C-alpha cells in the first residue's frame, strides 16, 4: 500500500522546511549523509538552516554550494569539504591502533596521542599547548566556502557561538559568517583558544544551543523543522570511568538548550491561540527528527577520528537514516509533527 500524498505534493508545491543541525566533530559526517540524501528530494526546499559546530560547517558548505550550483552543487561541495578534512588528518597522530582496526572499532581510546591530549587538556591550558592558536580547519573553510557568495545566498544561515564573557549565545547570519565565526562555533575551550570576533571571545555554540531553534521560528516562514541529531539524549547504564563521565556530561550540557526549546514548542502548542501572539509561531511548528541508534555506540574519542573510512561509514549511515525517514514520513511533512514532543511536558 503506497503512502498517502501530502497536501503540498497534491498541489505540486515544494515542501518548505528548515534544518537544525547538531555539532559533534567528525560525527558531523553523519549529517553530511543526511543532507546528501535530502538534497535528492525534488519536493523539499530548504528555507533556512541553524547549525552549531560541525553542523554550522555543514550548513555553510551546503548553502554556498547551493548558491553556486543548485542541489548538485551543494552535494559536491559537501563531499569536497569532508574529503579535505580527511586529507588534512592523513598524517595526524590521532589514529586508531592495530587492535581497534582489526576489531572494526572506530574509537581512539587506545591512541597514545589522544590519551596524551585528553590528560593534557585537563591540566594544561590550550593557550600553553597551542600558543599560536593554529587550527587546520581555517584553511579548509577558506578554500571550501566563498563567504562573499554565502552572504547573498538564498538559503538563510544561522550559526550559534557562545560569548565567553556573558555566557550568552550569539546568532550569526549569512552576511556575518566568516571562517572565524565557524571556528568559534566549534571551539571546545579545553582544546582551542577562544576565537575573538568584534572584540569578544567565543567558545563552542553547543553551550548555548546545539542547535538553536529560535531563529528558525522567528525569521523563517516554514512551519516544518527537521532536526538532525547526532548527540544521544539517552544512554543506558551509569558512566563510571573518567572518560565516560566527561563524555556524558558533554552530551547532557550540549542537549540541554535544545530540549528546552523543544519543550517550549510542546507547551505553546497546548496553549497558544493561532495568529494572536509570537507564541503561536512556536505552537504551530512541526518538528521532525533524523537520528541513528548507531551513534550511541560511538564514544567521545571518535569525534576526532577523521579517517576517510570512518567518515564514509557515517555518511552512509546518514543517508540510510534520511532515506528511512523520507519513506516513513514524506507525507507527514507539511501536515503533522513526527517527533513526539508531548513526552517533554512531563520534564
Amino acid at each position: 500500500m503506497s503512502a498517502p500524498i501530502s497536501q503540498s505534493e497534491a498541489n505540486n508545491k515544494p515542501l518548505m522546511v528548515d534544518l537544525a543541525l547538531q555539532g559533534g566533530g567528525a560525527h558531523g559526517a553523519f549529517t553530511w549523509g543526511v543532507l546528501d540524501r535530502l538534497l535528492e528530494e525534488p519536493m523539499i526546499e530548504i528555507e533556512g538552516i541553524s547549525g552549531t559546530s560541525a553542523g554550522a560547517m555543514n550548513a555553510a558548505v551546503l548553502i554556498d554550494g547551493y548558491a553556486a550550483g543548485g542541489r548538485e552543487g551543494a552535494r559536491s561541495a559537501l563531499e569536497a569539504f569532508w574529503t579535505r578534512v580527511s586529507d588534512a588528518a592523513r598524517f595526524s597522530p590521532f589514529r586508531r591502533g592495530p587492535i581497534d582496526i582489526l576489531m572494526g572499532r572506530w574509537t581512539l581510546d587506545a591512541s597514545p596521542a589522544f590519551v596524551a591530549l585528553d590528560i593534557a587538556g585537563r591540566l594544561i591550558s590550550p593557550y600553553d599547548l597551542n600558543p599560536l592558536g593554529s587550527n587546520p580547519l581555517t584553511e579548509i573553510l577558506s578554500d571550501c566556502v566563498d563567504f562573499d557568495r554565502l552572504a547573498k545566498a538564498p538559503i538563510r544561515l544561522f550559526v550559534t557561538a557562545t560569548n565567553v564573557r556573558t555566557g550568552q549565545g550569539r546568532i550569526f547570519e549569512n552576511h556575518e559568517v566568516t571562517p572565524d565565526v565557524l571556528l568559534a562555533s566549534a571551539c571546545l575551550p579545553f582544546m582551542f583558544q577562544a576565537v575573538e570576533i568584534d572584540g569578544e571571545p567565543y567558545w563552542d555554540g553547543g553551550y548555548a544551543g546545539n542547535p538553536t531553534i529560535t531563529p528558525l521560528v522567528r525569521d523563517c516562514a516554514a512551519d516544518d523543522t527537521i532536526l538532525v541529531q547526532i548527540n544521544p539524549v539517552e544512554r543506558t547504564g551509569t558512566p563510571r570511568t573518567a572518560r565516560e563521565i566527561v563524555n556524558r556530561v558533554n552530551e547532557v550540557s550540549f542537549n540541554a538548550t535544545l530540549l528546552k526549546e523543544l519543550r517550549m514548542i510542546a507547551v505553546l502548542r497546548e496553549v497558544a491561540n493561532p495568529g494572536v501572539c509570537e507564541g503561536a509561531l512556536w505552537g504551530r511548528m512541526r518538528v521532525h527528527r533524523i537520528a541513528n541508534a548507531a551513534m550511541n555506540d560511538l564514544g567521545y574519542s571518535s569525534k576526532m577520528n577523521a579517517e576517510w573510512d570512518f567518515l564514509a561509514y557515517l555518511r552512509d549511515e546518514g543517508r540510510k537514516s534520511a532515506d528511512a525517514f523520507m519513506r516513513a514520513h514524506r507525507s507527514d511533512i507539511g501536515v503533522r509533527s513526527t517527533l513526539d514532543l508531548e513526552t517533554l511536558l512531563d520534564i
Side-chain angles (χ1 to χ4, degrees):
M1 181 177 178
S2 59
I5 303 299
S6 70
Q7 188 63 44
S8 293
E9 290 177 300
N11 295 334
N12 200 30
K13 294 181 180 179
L15 300 163
M16 296 298 296
V17 303
D18 296 322
L19 302 179
L21 310 182
Q22 282 198 322
H27 293 186
F30 173 84
T31 301
W32 163 31
V34 170
L35 299 176
D36 190 66
R37 175 64 184 87
L38 293 180
L39 286 165
E40 294 177 344
E41 287 290 327
M43 288 303 296
I44 284 185
E45 289 289 343
I46 302 170
E47 182 187 11
I49 307 178
S50 177
T52 297
S53 190
M57 295 181 190
N58 273 319
V61 171
L62 182 154
I63 293 172
D64 177 54
Y66 189 93
R71 295 171 183 270
E72 289 305 312
R75 295 181 66 201
S76 297
L78 285 165
E79 181 173 9
F81 170 74
W82 285 101
T83 299
R84 283 289 304 274
V85 169
S86 180
D87 288 346
R90 188 173 298 169
F91 302 106
S92 168
F94 301 109
R95 314 289 293 184
R96 289 182 296 160
I99 295 179
D100 288 325
I101 294 175
L102 183 63
M103 299 295 292
R105 297 190 295 243
W106 299 112
T107 178
L108 297 181
D109 287 354
S111 165
F114 175 78
V115 172
L117 179 66
D118 191 37
I119 295 173
R122 304 178 197 184
L123 302 173
I124 306 174
S125 164
Y127 291 84
D128 297 322
L129 282 174
N130 183 11
L132 297 179
S134 60
N135 190 323
L137 283 172
T138 303
E139 181 178 354
I140 294 174
L141 289 168
S142 297
D143 290 344
C144 291
V145 179
D146 182 329
F147 288 90
D148 290 332
R149 184 168 57 208
L150 179 67
K152 304 171 185 176
I155 299 176
R156 300 195 66 175
L157 173 62
F158 306 97
V159 174
T160 303
T162 304
N163 186 302
V164 178
R165 181 178 60 83
T166 66
Q168 300 296 309
R170 175 178 170 182
I171 308 298
F172 296 85
E173 299 190 38
N174 297 59
H175 65 283
E176 301 171 298
V177 175
T178 64
D180 278 348
V181 167
L182 296 176
L183 292 175
S185 184
C187 179
L188 292 172
F190 298 108
M191 294 182 63
F192 300 104
Q193 296 183 23
V195 179
E196 188 170 302
I197 301 170
D198 299 332
E200 293 280 359
Y202 286 89
W203 281 340
D204 195 297
Y207 297 109
N210 191 24
T212 307
I213 304 295
T214 302
L216 300 179
V217 176
R218 291 181 175 175
D219 300 327
C220 294
D223 289 333
D224 287 80
T225 293
I226 299 176
L227 167 66
V228 182
Q229 193 162 18
I230 58 179
N231 290 314
V233 174
E234 296 184 10
R235 280 191 184 273
T236 58
T238 302
R240 297 188 180 278
T241 69
R243 187 172 294 146
E244 289 174 344
I245 293 170
V246 170
N247 179 44
R248 189 57 185 150
V249 167
N250 285 334
E251 289 176 344
V252 171
S253 62
F254 279 9
N255 279 326
T257 305
L258 171 65
L259 291 174
K260 182 183 292 185
E261 288 188 306
L262 293 178
R263 184 173 185 273
M264 184 186 302
I265 293 174
V267 170
L268 292 175
R269 185 179 291 168
E270 295 275 315
V271 302
N273 185 1
V276 174
C277 62
E278 183 178 313
L281 296 177
W282 288 86
R284 72 173 185 239
M285 176 64 72
R286 295 180 288 266
V287 184
H288 315 273
R289 178 174 61 186
I290 297 177
N292 188 316
M295 304 302 289
N296 292 16
D297 298 328
L298 300 175
Y300 168 75
S301 68
S302 65
K303 293 181 179 181
M304 296 185 63
N305 183 354
E307 296 175 45
W308 178 252
D309 287 347
F310 182 47
L311 301 182
Y313 161 75
L314 291 173
R315 175 203 61 201
D316 293 345
E317 288 298 313
R319 279 191 57 86
K320 287 191 291 186
S321 298
D323 188 66
F325 170 81
M326 291 306 302
R327 289 177 183 274
H329 299 299
R330 181 183 283 106
S331 62
D332 293 318
I333 300 176
V335 178
R336 64 182 65 85
S337 288
T338 57
L339 177 61
D340 184 9
L341 297 179
E342 281 62 35
T343 58
L344 297 175
L345 293 174
D346 297 328
I347 298 177

